[in-house]
């Protein structure tokens, strides 16, 4: 009895000593609405309700995010390059490089804003603003104006990915996160399919006053603005203020993620967590993997319709042939999500495994003769199997990085890497090499091979670290305290209880 009293005193003491800045907002809410451990029925009911209300919002937002940033690619074959007087590699700069340079530069600011402001409102406002900026592209008639618009668009769209990683950690357990991240990441695939189909339809619009290509931006942008207004009303900042949950259900939603030990909501920026993230080797391996994966992905995004047209297909038909890219990516993403649900600690193996068919596809694109039209198209489709890497690396960030500031910083670092890859990718499509683009597909082959090496290295590093922590816990004894789950502590500050997923 004395031991239990001493433990309870230690628990309360640890909360007091932590200070107000170290206590997650979920701690006070959970204390006021103490619900205890969830029954299996309650857990299933709350999870279903969260999935039903939150996932559609995230999927639609991510779909619009993909379609809007790639609207330039859809419109490239319909007069945009001519009307904006683009020559040489200016399209490469406007389509991908300047967008992702702005995206990259914005990440430190985005990380601070995610911590400082309510995340739901932050996402909604960014969505409305990028829709408005997208519509102004229709007025562009020069390289300079196009570059300016794309840079602003990059800054605004850069808010979504890091915010969604934080939201995923707020709402779902570590075991649930890979599949849920796979679901909202499906927005890329849905965007690929919808963008191709809409592009095919928009291409048939005829107007004397407005050029054909401008309708892509006017229609996509208007849809995004309307949807952003809806998000402002309906997307919650955390389980604490979800309008579609009762107070009791909010407490249950918080209790569900207690075991994550990664926090729910804390609006204090902590430089100590920022520094820890910068010094974390796991973070840098994930950053390298994400970077290598996004060089091939960036090429598909910016030059997809141009590459397919280069296989010998017509302008209209090449736009339609982009639709299967999204379907293939969707199948691979869902496969990865369900595999992580079925088997534990399989994420790093999946990252390595999905690179193998993509690597083979890149080799075939580099070596097949240009006359083999179907072989080239099939190889281009096979390359899309690497799309699973994005969801799995993001799920590792959501699951393995504790501390609100550290998670926001790691998310932003991932997207700095993403941006560098997207900036570099269009530059590998050298105009003199069209339509074969040998350098681009050789680079893709090298990137896929290196991705395999990094993911295997990460797996064995995390296994080593988990075993080291097991030995330390055994030597020092148990230090688990039930209230510490809602302290804003990092994974390195919880070595006795925090174990990394693989």
């Amino acid at each position: 009895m004395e031991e239990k009293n001493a433990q309870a005193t230690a628990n309360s003491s640890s909360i007091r000593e932590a200070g107000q800045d170290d206590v997650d907002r979920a701690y006070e809410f959970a204390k006021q609405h103490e619900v205890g451990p969830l029954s299996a029925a309650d857990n299933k009911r709350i999870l279903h309700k969260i999935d039903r209300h939150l996932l559609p919002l995230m999927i639609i937002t991510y779909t619009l995010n993909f379609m809007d940033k790639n609207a330039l690619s859809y419109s490239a074959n319909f007069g945009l390059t001519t009307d904006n007087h683009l020559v040489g590699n200016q399209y490469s700069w406007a389509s991908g490089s300047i967008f992702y340079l702005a995206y990259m530069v914005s990440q430190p600011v985005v990380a601070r804003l995610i911590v400082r402001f309510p995340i739901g409102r932050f996402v909604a406002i960014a969505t409305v603003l990028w829709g408005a900026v997208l519509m102004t592209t229709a007025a562009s008639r020069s390289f300079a104006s196009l570059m300016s618009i794309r840079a602003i668009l990059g800054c605004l769209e850069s808010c979504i990915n890091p915010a969604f990683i934080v939201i995923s950690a707020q709402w779902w357990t570590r075991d649930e996160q890979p599949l849920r991240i796979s679901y909202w990441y499906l927005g890329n695939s849905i965007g690929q399919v919808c963008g191709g189909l809409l592009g095919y339809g928009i291409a048939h619009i005829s107007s004397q006053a407005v050029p054909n290509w401008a309708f892509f931006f006017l229609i996509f942008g208007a849809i995004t603005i309307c949807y952003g207004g809806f998000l402002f009303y309906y997307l919650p900042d955390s389980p604490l203020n979800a309008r579609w949950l009762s107070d009791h259900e909010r407490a249950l939603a918080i209790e569900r993620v207690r075991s994550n030990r990664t926090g729910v909501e804390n609006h204090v920026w902590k430089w100590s967590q920022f520094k820890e993230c910068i010094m974390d080797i796991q973070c840098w391996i994930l950053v390298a993997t994400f970077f290598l994966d996004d060089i091939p992905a960036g090429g598909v995004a910016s030059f997809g319709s141009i590459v397919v047209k280069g296989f010998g297909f017509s302008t209209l038909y090449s736009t339609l042939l982009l639709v299967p890219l999204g379907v293939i990516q969707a199948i691979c993403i869902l496969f990865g999500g369900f595999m992580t649900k079925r088997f534990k600690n399989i994420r790093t193996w999946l990252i390595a495994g999905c690179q193998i068919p993509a690597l083979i596809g890149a080799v075939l694109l580099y070596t097949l003769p240009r006359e083999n039209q179907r072989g080239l198209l099939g190889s281009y489709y096979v390359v899309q199997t690497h799309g699973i890497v994005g969801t799995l690396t993001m799920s590792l960030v959501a699951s393995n990085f504790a501390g609100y500031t550290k998670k926001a910083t790691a998310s932003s670092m991932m997207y700095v890497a993403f941006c560098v890859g997207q900036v570099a990718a269009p530059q590998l499509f050298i105009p003199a090499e069209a339509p074969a683009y040998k350098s681009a597909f050789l680079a893709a082959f090298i990137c896929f091979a290196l991705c395999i090496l990094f993911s295997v290295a990460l797996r064995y590093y995390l296994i080593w670290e988990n075993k080291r922590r097991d030995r330390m816990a055994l030597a020092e004894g148990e230090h688990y305290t039930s209230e510490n789950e809602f302290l804003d502590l990092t994974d390195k500050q919880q070595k006795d209880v925090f174990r990394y997923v693989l």
Side-chain angles (χ1 to χ4, degrees):
M1 184 60 119
E2 288 177 7
E3 237 177 75
K4 286 185 180 176
N5 290 338
Q7 184 64 43
T9 305
N11 287 353
S12 302
S13 175
S14 67
I15 298 294
R16 285 196 304 272
E17 288 170 8
Q20 193 63 36
D21 289 353
D22 289 326
V23 178
D24 194 290
R25 286 187 63 198
Y27 168 72
E28 290 298 334
F29 192 89
K31 196 174 179 182
Q32 291 167 15
H33 303 81
E34 192 168 345
V35 292
L38 273 73
S39 67
D42 276 343
N43 186 56
K44 187 176 180 180
R45 179 174 61 83
I46 296 299
L47 174 61
H48 180 66
K49 196 164 187 178
I50 292 168
D51 287 346
R52 192 173 70 246
H53 286 272
L54 194 59
L55 275 177
L57 299 179
M58 298 176 79
I59 292 168
I60 295 169
T61 305
Y62 214 69
T63 299
L64 294 174
N65 185 271
F66 180 88
M67 288 171 58
D68 292 353
K69 71 185 174 188
N70 288 302
L72 206 69
S73 176
Y74 300 131
S75 62
N77 290 329
F78 297 98
L80 177 137
T81 54
T82 304
D83 287 355
N84 282 273
H85 314 291
L86 304 183
V87 295
N89 67 346
Q90 287 183 339
Y91 174 77
S92 297
W93 275 100
S95 65
S97 298
I98 190 62
F99 179 93
Y100 288 106
L101 277 171
Y103 199 120
M104 177 178 65
V105 170
S106 302
Q107 286 307 298
V109 179
V110 169
R112 291 296 299 269
L113 293 175
I114 286 172
V115 174
R116 296 290 293 175
F117 296 103
I119 201 164
R121 302 294 183 274
F122 175 68
V123 168
I125 291 169
T127 303
V128 171
L129 291 176
W130 101 55
V133 171
L134 182 70
M135 292 185 75
T136 67
T137 313
S140 174
R141 294 296 182 275
S142 68
F143 175 61
S145 62
L146 195 59
M147 289 283 279
S148 301
I149 293 166
R150 292 290 289 175
I152 297 169
L153 192 65
C155 292
L156 294 169
E157 290 207 32
S158 71
C159 303
I160 303 305
N161 284 296
F164 274 17
I165 291 179
V166 173
I167 290 171
S168 298
Q170 287 179 327
W171 288 91
W172 291 289
T173 67
R174 296 168 86 192
D175 288 338
E176 296 162 354
Q177 286 164 12
L179 184 57
R180 271 65 190 184
I181 290 174
S182 296
Y183 284 147
W184 60 254
Y185 201 78
L186 276 177
N188 278 352
S189 307
I190 298 168
Q192 187 85 55
V193 173
C194 293
L197 293 174
L198 280 172
Y200 187 76
I202 291 169
H204 289 84
I205 297 175
S206 181
S207 171
Q208 296 295 322
V210 181
N212 192 270
W213 59 265
F215 283 103
F216 286 88
F217 304 103
L218 294 173
I219 293 170
F220 288 9
I223 292 169
T224 300
I225 291 171
C226 294
Y227 180 70
F230 172 72
L231 276 184
F232 194 86
Y233 170 80
Y234 206 73
L235 181 65
D237 302 312
S238 74
L240 278 69
N241 71 342
R243 63 176 66 248
W244 32 269
L245 293 176
S246 66
D247 275 353
H248 180 66
E249 289 173 332
R250 291 171 188 173
L252 291 175
I254 290 168
E255 189 64 31
R256 269 178 28 81
V257 297
R258 178 187 286 272
S259 61
N260 284 0
R261 306 189 72 90
T262 56
V264 173
E265 188 176 5
N266 187 295
H267 293 306
V268 179
W269 177 267
K270 296 172 184 171
W271 285 106
S272 61
Q273 291 192 13
F274 172 81
K275 290 172 186 173
E276 181 180 308
C277 187
I278 295 296
M279 300 299 291
D280 194 332
I281 188 170
Q282 178 190 187
C283 186
W284 287 107
I285 295 174
L286 286 169
V287 163
T289 305
F290 211 42
F291 164 71
L292 291 166
D293 179 66
D294 276 297
I295 289 178
V300 172
S302 297
F303 280 81
S305 61
I306 294 172
V307 168
V308 173
K309 186 181 177 184
F311 295 155
F313 298 102
S314 68
T315 299
L316 273 176
Y317 197 45
S318 64
T319 303
L320 201 58
L321 284 171
L322 292 177
V323 172
L325 294 176
V327 175
I328 293 165
Q329 190 182 55
I331 292 169
C332 293
I333 289 170
L334 286 174
F335 170 77
F338 282 111
M339 287 293 285
T340 57
K341 184 181 180 182
R342 177 71 179 81
F343 302 102
K344 285 194 172 184
N345 291 327
I346 197 177
R347 300 183 207 185
T348 47
W349 283 138
L350 285 171
I351 292 171
C354 75
Q355 304 294 330
I356 296 170
L359 189 150
I360 294 169
V363 170
L364 290 173
L365 283 167
Y366 186 77
T367 57
L368 282 176
R370 303 305 298 175
E371 297 78 27
N372 191 346
Q373 193 180 49
R374 291 182 179 179
L376 288 168
L377 183 62
S379 301
Y380 194 58
Y381 287 158
V382 168
V383 168
Q384 300 314 302
T385 58
H386 78 101
I388 193 176
V389 174
T391 63
L392 293 174
T393 49
M394 284 189 285
S395 76
L396 286 169
V397 171
S399 300
N400 283 349
F401 290 79
Y404 205 74
T405 299
K406 184 175 181 180
K407 191 183 298 293
T409 303
S411 301
S412 293
M413 286 175 67
M414 292 290 286
Y415 284 99
V416 168
F418 167 79
C419 295
V420 174
Q422 296 281 346
V423 168
Q427 305 307 318
L428 295 169
F429 286 79
I430 301 165
E433 294 182 352
Y437 298 113
K438 292 282 189 181
S439 297
F441 294 115
L442 177 61
F445 164 76
I446 294 168
C447 288
F448 293 142
L450 289 173
C451 256
I452 294 172
L453 295 176
F454 276 112
S455 56
V456 172
L458 176 62
R459 181 176 187 84
Y460 284 103
Y461 167 74
L462 294 178
I463 289 172
W464 173 81
E465 178 62 22
N466 282 344
K467 287 181 177 178
R468 188 176 74 89
R469 292 185 177 201
D470 287 342
R471 290 193 298 270
M472 287 172 59
L474 203 62
E476 296 173 10
E478 282 291 330
H479 295 287
Y480 174 79
T481 60
S482 61
E483 291 183 319
N484 279 359
E485 292 105 333
F486 291 130
L487 288 184
D488 188 30
L489 300 175
T490 69
D491 45 285
K492 291 190 180 297
Q493 291 173 319
Q494 304 178 75
K495 288 183 179 180
D496 53 338
V497 291
F498 195 99
R499 297 297 178 268
Y500 296 110
V501 296
L502 313 175

